[in-house]
Amino acid sequence: MAKDTRGRTTGGEGAATPPHSSGTVADPAAPPPGPPAPVAPATGLGSRFLRLWAAVTFSNLGQGASAIAFPWLATTLTGNPLAIALVGAAVRLPWLLFSLPAGVLADRLDRRRIMLAMSAARTVVVGTVALLVALDVMSLPLLYVCALVLGFAEVLFDNTSQVLLPSLVDRDRLAAANGRLMAGQVVTEDFFARPLGGFLIGVAVAVPFAFDALTAVVAGILLLTLRGTFRAVRVPAQPGPAEAAPATRRRMRAEIAEGVRYLWGHPLLRPLAISLAVLNMVGQGAMATYVLYAQEILGLGALGFAVLTSVGGVGGLLGGLLASRLTRRIGEARSLFCLLAIECVAYGTAALSSNAYAVGAAMGISGFGVVMWNVVTVSLRQTLIPDHLLGRVNSVYRLLGWGTMPLGMAAVGGLAVAVEALVSREAGLRAPYAVALLGIAALSLYMRRHLRQRSIDAALGTRP
């Protein structure tokens, strides 16, 4: 459940561009730019950040509605836990297959244009789903195909949105900017979109997908207002102005290898990526059959399920608003360990309880820890990784963090089927949460050894 938020997964005009950040690439023949304009006092992050924030927020509004509709649609086609888990796995599989090429593209191409193209692709995919459902010709294989194509679009959009942000806000405001983005995501996707998705399912199952297509169009229009060229910037070895990445390109395999070597050789980024991989494998695996758990164990309908999945937004909103302040007080390492303790409580409650209020309260607290983890780790990556490598290294990181999701979903779906056959249906639907609890407990031992505050301080002291 501690997914590296898209940022669904995925800046301020006038904010000083960080020394290693991408930004609007100036004409070499043009006179040197003047001093940066003052930061907009309303937010401290500027108007360009607000445009990106609005685009991502509208995208998350539609994604939240269809995120409820996808598993619910699957339950109208099958009651098999593995088959339903594979719908979520299909959306996440592109993170395993396409993350590394997506990172190269984010370092080669204009990052805003990539996000525009993926918003258009999302419009087509979810619009197609809405049409197939409305015509009553949707089948499980067609649903898998649509989910897979949508996943490829999300990989490019989410990875690129994270590497675009440092070009819009100053380095010392990254934690605040990420917190604002994630708080906005939580409010729209959890508070509004998920309950709205449950209501729209009651109108017609096709309606949430049509709504997602409409919000993707709005997000694209907002991205069009973000003027400029947003290509990777290479920081020169000697002091001097940053320059655009050279036009001559190496083979994609060589560029991917450079990103892999950087991450795997970094004493802080490697254990963070491994930790996220374990968290997402067990967490998203447990949530793959959440819709059946809500229906059969907690006795919830479509709207009740939507509300249950939205309660994490209560804690997530507080996490987005307070994470940077709390992290400064207790340190990054303790902030990360808070999530592990919270997740143990959440999964333990789901494994043992049949009370929707108790499970909802536990998931609400979990939302705080998830967003705090994301604010800390995303800000660290954006600070530590040089801009000309940011897309590739970020994609390797997210390959580990998100690429394990489909593996966890498929494995846990199979586990639920096996336990159901050996014990009972209820035991099969509870088993994923018990496995997640054991996985988090094991991860805490690894993190105590490799993610101490002194290692974080050392990495920040040598950042580029």
Side-chain angles (χ1 to χ4, degrees):
M1 271 173 27
K3 64 180 181 179
D4 189 4
T5 307
R6 313 182 260 238
R8 313 317 240 2
T9 128
T10 300
E13 186 169 41
T17 303
H20 67 286
S21 295
S22 65
T24 304
V25 178
D27 183 347
V39 174
T43 64
L45 296 171
S47 62
R48 287 199 298 171
F49 170 79
L50 290 178
R51 293 170 196 166
L52 177 64
W53 179 88
V56 173
T57 297
F58 267 98
S59 182
N60 287 328
L61 185 63
Q63 288 177 13
S66 63
I68 290 294
F70 264 108
W72 198 268
L73 174 59
T75 64
T76 68
L77 303 173
T78 180
N80 185 285
L82 177 58
I84 291 173
L86 290 178
V87 175
V91 176
R92 300 297 179 225
L93 184 60
W95 286 100
L96 184 63
L97 303 178
F98 190 56
S99 285
L100 299 181
V104 174
L105 293 175
D107 283 343
R108 285 183 176 184
L109 306 177
D110 185 292
R111 291 162 175 174
R112 183 191 66 119
R113 292 184 179 181
I114 291 176
M115 295 178 66
L116 275 169
M118 293 308 101
S119 292
R122 184 174 191 91
T123 302
V124 173
V125 174
V126 292
T128 299
V129 174
L131 181 62
L132 292 174
V133 173
L135 295 176
D136 198 24
V137 294
M138 177 59 78
S139 65
L140 203 56
L142 280 174
L143 186 59
Y144 289 148
V145 171
C146 291
L148 186 66
V149 175
L150 184 62
F152 279 103
E154 287 185 352
V155 169
L156 265 174
F157 186 94
D158 290 356
N159 186 66
T160 306
S161 66
Q162 283 195 352
V163 300
L164 175 65
L165 180 61
S167 68
L168 302 177
V169 297
D170 201 6
R171 175 184 289 177
D172 61 2
R173 302 307 308 275
L174 282 175
N178 282 310
R180 297 284 179 87
L181 280 174
M182 292 173 194
Q185 176 186 344
V186 167
V187 170
T188 54
E189 190 167 333
D190 291 345
F191 287 163
F192 295 109
R194 293 181 186 271
L196 177 62
F199 171 77
L200 294 178
I201 289 172
V203 176
V205 179
V207 176
F209 300 105
F211 178 74
D212 190 3
L214 177 62
T215 57
V217 171
V218 175
I221 293 172
L222 288 166
L223 286 170
L224 285 172
T225 69
L226 191 61
R227 302 295 183 183
T229 301
F230 295 90
R231 292 181 177 271
V233 171
R234 183 181 296 274
V235 178
Q238 300 298 325
E243 57 186 17
T248 56
R249 295 171 180 166
R250 295 168 292 165
R251 297 180 62 181
M252 182 173 284
R253 181 181 300 178
E255 294 192 49
I256 289 174
E258 186 178 8
V260 172
R261 285 194 301 270
Y262 186 94
L263 184 140
W264 205 250
H266 199 286
L268 177 60
L269 295 178
R270 182 177 68 244
L272 280 175
I274 293 172
S275 299
L276 181 64
V278 175
L279 281 169
N280 281 345
M281 176 179 283
V282 299
Q284 292 300 301
M287 302 308 289
T289 55
Y290 197 37
V291 62
L292 292 176
Y293 174 86
Q295 289 176 341
E296 301 181 29
I297 304 298
L298 303 181
L300 300 177
L303 184 57
F305 174 60
V307 172
L308 178 67
T309 59
S310 72
V311 294
V314 177
L317 174 60
L318 294 175
L321 296 175
L322 301 177
S324 61
R325 186 182 307 172
L326 182 61
T327 300
R328 285 195 300 269
R329 176 167 294 188
I330 69 173
E332 290 90 351
R334 289 181 180 175
S335 299
L336 298 179
F337 277 100
C338 280
L339 173 64
L340 300 187
I342 290 170
E343 294 287 74
C344 286
V345 172
Y347 293 131
T349 302
L352 299 174
S353 178
S354 299
N355 186 290
Y357 294 102
V359 173
M363 296 303 175
I365 298 171
S366 175
F368 180 89
V370 168
V371 172
M372 185 164 61
W373 172 286
N374 288 334
V375 169
V376 171
T377 58
V378 172
S379 300
L380 283 172
R381 294 204 309 273
Q382 292 169 337
T383 301
L384 293 169
I385 304 170
D387 189 72
H388 70 283
L389 287 170
L390 185 55
R392 282 167 285 166
V393 178
N394 199 58
S395 71
V396 178
Y397 186 99
R398 302 193 83 187
L399 168 66
L400 294 173
W402 285 60
T404 56
M405 287 185 185
L407 302 179
M409 289 175 171
V412 170
L415 172 69
V417 171
V419 173
E420 176 185 351
L422 294 173
V423 184
S424 67
R425 174 77 165 180
E426 180 175 348
L429 294 178
R430 290 187 185 276
Y433 304 100
V435 170
L437 178 60
L438 294 174
I440 298 297
L443 176 61
S444 64
L445 300 177
Y446 172 82
M447 286 182 56
R448 284 184 66 84
R449 181 175 181 180
H450 296 281
L451 284 172
R452 303 188 179 213
Q453 187 62 45
R454 64 172 176 265
S455 64
I456 296 175
D457 292 338
L460 292 174
T462 58
R463 61 190 176 189

